[in-house]
Amino acid sequence: MILASQSPRRIELMREAGYDIRIIPADIDETPFDDEAPLTLVERLARAKAAAVAAEHAEPTELTVAADTIVTFDGKILGKPANEDEACTMLRELSGRTHQVATGVCIVKAGDTAAPHAAESLSFVDVTDVTFYELTDEQIEHYVASGEPMDKAGAYGIQGVGGRMLVHDISGDFYNVVGLPISRVARAIQKLS
């Protein structure tokens, strides 16, 4: 099985679930289309990543798993912060409020040797609501100074030492917030196997 991602969190979740994976990151254009809805975007990107990697690297009947995760708040997408000031701004926006973490997942099963291009696929989007505690400027600045939020969408990682201290409540799959709703992925893999 191929995992079309180099995310350490996705790799760890797949391996902990018992999957023997080859890591082949996708190289696609991730620019949103004009007026593209966040949930449409993450599913489109997951499908594009899976298709690109499967077409180039998958062996006959091999599965390729791809995912894309975003943080969305008030209808806009919060990507990875470009700098510490942007991270502080994002965290101030999220303070005391609820936002959504959406992960688009696509699994492609390559065709067999008789029909190598006849691939099957399955895709979905998983959404989790995350509510933050009210955060003080001092808490935000301390967290940002740790460096933890700098490579994460929405400027936090729920699994991180500091990130877990921000979260008051979640409604949905915790592992979706980490970057891969692994139990739903496992069920989708079973359907295609």
Side-chain angles (χ1 to χ4, degrees):
M1 180 180 313
I2 298 171
L3 178 62
S5 174
Q6 59 189 3
S7 160
R9 292 160 292 282
R10 289 188 186 121
I11 294 167
E12 180 181 14
L13 287 169
M14 289 292 287
R15 287 187 173 147
E16 285 177 353
Y19 296 110
D20 182 19
I21 53 175
R22 296 191 292 146
I23 311 302
I24 305 174
D27 183 21
I28 63 162
D29 180 359
E30 298 189 29
T31 306
F33 296 148
D34 291 340
D35 299 322
E36 187 172 25
L39 302 187
T40 304
L41 170 67
V42 290
E43 187 166 15
R44 178 180 63 80
L45 293 178
R47 291 176 68 87
K49 289 175 181 181
V53 171
E56 191 170 336
H57 300 284
E59 301 293 329
T61 71
E62 185 175 27
L63 298 179
T64 300
V65 177
D68 193 78
T69 301
I70 59 165
V71 172
T72 180
F73 176 70
D74 278 352
K76 66 181 178 181
I77 296 170
L78 300 180
K80 296 176 183 177
N83 53 49
E84 289 187 356
D85 287 342
E86 191 174 333
C88 288
T89 298
M90 285 183 192
L91 292 168
R92 282 187 191 99
E93 279 187 277
L94 299 176
S95 175
R97 301 182 68 191
T98 301
H99 61 276
Q100 289 70 45
V101 177
T103 301
V105 175
C106 182
I107 303 162
V108 172
K109 181 178 183 180
D112 61 24
T113 51
H117 299 295
E120 293 179 70
S121 70
L122 190 153
S123 66
F124 61 87
V125 177
D126 201 270
V127 180
T128 302
D129 289 334
V130 180
T131 304
F132 272 15
Y133 282 103
E134 288 283 348
L135 307 173
T136 66
D137 283 344
E138 183 180 348
Q139 289 169 321
I140 289 170
E141 289 164 12
H142 178 74
Y143 180 54
V144 171
S146 76
E148 188 176 296
M150 298 314 296
D151 67 339
K152 295 172 181 68
Y156 79 98
I158 196 169
Q159 74 285 356
V161 174
R164 67 184 74 158
M165 302 306 288
L166 309 174
V167 177
H168 178 273
D169 186 52
I170 72 166
S171 177
D173 187 335
F174 170 82
Y175 295 103
N176 182 51
V177 183
V178 174
L180 193 67
I182 191 65
S183 60
R184 195 165 172 193
V185 168
R187 284 163 176 76
I189 288 170
Q190 285 176 333
K191 283 184 183 176
L192 283 178
S193 294

